[in-house]
Amino acid sequence: MLTYDPRCKRIGSYLIDAGLLDPNQVDVILADQAQTHLRFGDIAVARGWVSPATIEFLCSYIIEPERLLGSPIKPPDFFSTSLQ
């Protein structure tokens, strides 16, 4: 059985999962990164594809907590409670 290891998931995967980047954009950023040695998020921001606030939010509220927990953060299920 495969286990989830958040240390292996990269920021590009999070941005694809969120619908903020597509795989081609990630490939472009990785090519830029190989040449410039800049951070992935810095390149994505410089290209205008995401905002600095998006990168900060993603790192602070999703990536780091998942790495600490060792599992994905589950979004709240707003529709599971019945309105009374």
Side-chain angles (χ1 to χ4, degrees):
M1 180 170 130
L2 295 174
T3 58
Y4 177 80
D5 186 355
R7 294 169 296 174
C8 295
K9 189 169 182 179
R10 303 288 186 201
I11 190 170
S13 295
Y14 285 99
L15 291 166
I16 290 171
D17 290 348
L20 298 172
L21 292 180
D22 64 44
N24 292 327
Q25 290 171 305
V26 169
D27 289 342
V28 168
I29 294 169
L30 292 174
D32 288 352
Q33 194 175 38
Q35 293 178 1
T36 65
H37 305 288
L38 294 172
R39 296 184 308 176
F40 187 99
D42 292 336
I43 297 169
V45 168
R47 286 189 164 271
W49 292 339
V50 295
S51 71
T54 298
I55 298 298
E56 181 62 33
F57 179 89
L58 184 64
C59 291
S60 297
Y61 294 101
I62 306 296
I63 296 173
E64 289 302 320
E66 281 192 0
R67 288 182 179 171
L68 289 172
L69 289 171
S71 63
I73 294 174
K74 295 183 173 127
D77 188 0
F78 293 108
F79 300 105
S80 67
T81 58
S82 60
L83 298 175
Q84 299 191 20

